[in-house]
Amino acid sequence: DVKVTQSSRYLVKRTGEKVFLECVQDMDHENMFWYRQDPGLGLRLIYFSYDVKMKEKGDIPEGYSVSREKKERFSLILESASTNQTSMYLCASSLRGRLNYGYTFGSGTRLTVV
Amino acid sequence: QKEVEQNSGPLSVPEGAIASLNCTYSDRGSQSFFWYRQYSGKSPELIMSIYSNGDKEDGRFTAQLNKASQYVSLLIRDSQPSDSATYLCAVYSGGYQKVTFGTGTKLQVIP
């Protein structure tokens, strides 16, 4: 079964800490994405990558950075965690094609910043 | 700004009924359309994709697309309590491989 694996299900961090969220997919997908999901706001795109070492800003990149050194791994970095970054973080991947074929999501990381 | 609009619900239907979920989108050039199901506390799961006008059926699910009206819907026949979830509509409009999501419709199937 194909999978997108996020390293942590629940995470509690202190304000000002540097936080790393890891995502690994085993489907050989070119595209990878980081979203956050908050009640009433839906899914908001933070960053995405369509190839190794490539990254593009999404709708809400402020306070975040990403790294994609290998095709299967896409990391989200919170440079200095703040309480307004408390959220559910979802990683997704997809196959590149003329038509989008939909995403496969990881199980999510619920991050609490205290 | 590309938008995808859904009624947030909750939409309540009795068990065995047909649930009808609707979605409109603003970008007339949109090419691919998706429905995701998200159970509370879980991540979204792709359940239907549709690329051309008309209906696409998969088991109890039917996706309907009308590009002229910029409208996509999901019908769930013989609704079961296990169908109770939030359903997200998503649209791909070309370019980089990212989609735009609606905020979701919460469906409650009453036993």
Side-chain angles (χ1 to χ4, degrees):
Chain A
D1 197 14
V2 294
K3 275 190 175 174
V4 177
T5 302
Q6 293 185 231
S7 54
S8 303
R9 188 77 179 94
Y10 297 95
L11 213 50
V12 180
K13 295 292 181 180
R14 295 194 180 278
T15 300
E17 276 193 80
K18 191 168 186 176
V19 181
F20 294 85
L21 303 182
E22 305 288 341
C23 177
V24 177
Q25 51 96 2
D26 65 1
M27 297 169 283
D28 202 34
H29 283 175
E30 293 87 358
N31 307 309
M32 296 189 75
F33 308 84
W34 275 106
Y35 286 85
R36 63 177 284 177
Q37 187 174 33
D38 302 286
L41 297 177
L43 283 159
R44 293 183 290 168
L45 182 63
I46 304 171
Y47 268 96
F48 65 101
S49 168
Y50 54 91
D51 204 347
V52 177
K53 296 192 185 293
M54 305 303 291
K55 60 183 179 182
E56 294 289 335
K57 292 180 180 179
D59 301 317
I60 52 163
E62 297 78 19
Y64 303 94
S65 62
V66 290
S67 172
R68 193 168 181 199
E69 296 297 319
K70 293 185 177 181
K71 188 176 185 179
E72 67 271 18
R73 186 180 297 270
F74 192 36
S75 302
L76 179 70
I77 303 152
L78 285 66
E79 298 291 344
S80 177
S82 64
T83 55
N84 62 12
Q85 293 179 309
T86 292
S87 185
M88 169 69 90
Y89 289 87
L90 291 163
C91 176
S93 71
S94 72
L95 200 59
R96 183 187 299 163
R98 185 182 65 83
L99 292 177
N100 192 295
Y101 301 109
Y103 293 173
T104 300
F105 282 90
S107 56
T109 295
R110 186 165 294 280
L111 173 67
T112 302
V113 182
V114 297
Chain B
Q1 180 78 7
K2 299 171 185 175
E3 292 183 351
V4 177
E5 301 285 344
Q6 296 180 255
N7 188 317
S8 61
L11 172 66
S12 294
V13 299
E15 183 174 356
I18 296 175
S20 177
L21 304 160
N22 304 314
C23 172
T24 60
Y25 59 94
S26 62
D27 188 344
R28 191 169 286 279
S30 297
Q31 303 170 15
S32 310
F33 306 85
F34 309 94
W35 285 98
Y36 290 81
R37 178 178 61 201
Q38 186 174 23
Y39 292 114
S40 180
K42 302 294 186 182
S43 60
E45 173 192 12
L46 180 64
I47 57 172
M48 289 290 286
S49 56
I50 186 166
Y51 302 97
S52 55
N53 277 330
D55 294 359
K56 179 181 177 182
E57 188 174 317
D58 184 359
R60 295 187 296 112
F61 298 98
T62 299
Q64 299 176 318
L65 175 61
N66 184 324
K67 288 188 176 181
S69 299
Q70 297 177 238
Y71 179 94
V72 58
S73 64
L74 179 70
L75 302 178
I76 306 174
R77 289 182 300 281
D78 188 25
S79 294
Q80 301 297 309
S82 59
D83 295 325
S84 298
T86 296
Y87 289 81
L88 304 173
C89 174
V91 174
Y92 172 64
S93 301
Y96 289 128
Q97 299 275 302
K98 62 186 180 79
V99 303
T100 301
F101 285 87
T103 53
T105 298
K106 186 173 183 178
L107 172 67
Q108 296 176 339
V109 181
I110 311 300

